Amino acid sequence: MSAKVSVICLCFNHEKYVEEAMNSVLAQTYPTELIVVDDASSDNSVRKINDYVKQHSNINIQTLFFEKNVGNCKAFNSALELTNADYIIDLAADDILLPDRVEEGVKNMELNPKLAINFTNANYIDEEGEYMKSHYSINKKGNATVHVPHGNLFHHILARYFICSPTMMYRASFFKEIGGYDENLAYEDFDLMLRLSRKYPFSYTDRILVEKRVLNASMSTKQYKRGSNQLESTLKICKKAAEMIQDKIEKRALLKRIAYEAKQAFVYKRFLIFIAFIKLGVKIILQK
């Protein structure tokens, strides 16, 4: 029996892009279930989604509409309850899956039942869909010119950002085993990767299989600025990580991350959070 794959497409004020995102799922070379979630958009996203579903009435597209904004983590967890898929992809409604993303992911993960995540290279595109750069630089054959760690990645993920989150395919059973996304956080990927990599290996497919859109209004472009609560969430994740580290290598990796986040907090004049990161770093240094 073939593995079942579900793509959960999360939409929040993405009326301009949501149709293209949904098209990219239906265009997959591997049969893929589509679940579209709208997190109380204030634009015409809901109408766009409903019209799309009507136009594709021959395909079973599940939808979930929230009347009040609940955030990415809760919205995704709620959609996860609607599927019994073996593998899951979290697709933001402004990003695009290239046609064989799912097929390549299933092929890779079926080789090793211990893998929690398969990730790939990606292209960054602008608001109009124009190419900006690749996540990992590539040669003429399309292969990464840098070493991309894979396997047991806990200390690598602790130390620095290097996995392009939209490229990740999750093994659903492992994802559910650890409780899904932490709904107390403003964003999900760093925490989720840490908790999964603590227990399971990740694999890397050296191909560009996703297009990640860079928007001026996106969370990632505002993560350190006042008004964003992502730094607070990063501090919470680092505190959780402090309870997970097991050796000196992991301790150094966490301190490297804390130093980086503290620097960003200082640069953006988030001084209370800066002090909190410094205190956490000192506490970890003094731990035996």
Side-chain angles (χ1 to χ4, degrees), residues 89-108:
I89 290 177
D90 179 350
L91 176 68
D94 54 344
D95 294 335
I96 299 167
L97 301 179
L98 297 185
D100 50 353
R101 168 63 192 112
V102 171
E103 182 175 358
E104 289 297 318
V106 172
K107 187 189 305 182
N108 181 283

Side-chain angles (χ1 to χ4, degrees), residues 13 26 46 68 75 79-80 125 133 154 186 198-199 230 243 248 267 274:
N13 292 339
L26 299 192
V46 171
K68 294 183 179 180
L80 191 63
I125 57 176
K133 64 176 183 177
F154 181 77
R198 177 74 285 174
K199 301 180 67 175
Q230 289 198 66
E243 303 297 323
K248 292 181 179 179
V267 168
F274 166 75

Side-chain angles (χ1 to χ4, degrees), residues 31-68:
T32 305
E33 176 185 54
L34 173 59
I35 302 174
V36 188
V37 185
D38 185 84
D39 193 12
S41 292
S42 58
D43 62 5
N44 290 316
S45 293
V46 171
R47 180 178 60 79
K48 284 265 190 177
I49 294 167
N50 280 327
D51 287 347
Y52 189 89
V53 172
K54 289 177 183 178
Q55 292 166 10
H56 297 81
S57 57
N58 60 319
I59 301 172
N60 181 25
I61 301 174
Q62 296 192 69
T63 56
L64 179 61
F65 300 113
F66 287 94
E67 294 184 1
K68 294 183 179 180

Side-chain angles (χ1 to χ4, degrees), residues 24 69 83 94-95 115-116 160-161 192 196 199-201 257 265:
S24 78
N69 185 268
T83 182
D94 54 344
D95 294 335
L115 288 172
R160 63 187 179 94
Y161 166 76
L192 193 281
L196 281 175
K199 301 180 67 175
Y200 304 108
R257 169 70 70 148

Side-chain angles (χ1 to χ4, degrees), residues 91-154:
L91 176 68
D94 54 344
D95 294 335
I96 299 167
L97 301 179
L98 297 185
D100 50 353
R101 168 63 192 112
V102 171
E103 182 175 358
E104 289 297 318
V106 172
K107 187 189 305 182
N108 181 283
M109 295 190 77
E110 289 287 278
L111 294 174
N112 183 353
K114 293 183 179 180
L115 288 172
I117 284 177
N118 169 251
F119 65 100
T120 78
N121 202 352
N123 280 338
Y124 290 91
I125 57 176
D126 64 18
E127 297 190 6
E128 304 306 319
E130 295 297 321
Y131 170 82
M132 299 172 67
K133 64 176 183 177
S134 57
H135 183 70
Y136 306 119
S137 59
I138 58 173
N139 58 27
K140 292 181 180 180
K141 294 182 179 180
N143 303 122
T145 59
V146 297
H147 172 67
V148 181
H150 58 278
N152 297 317
L153 295 180
F154 181 77

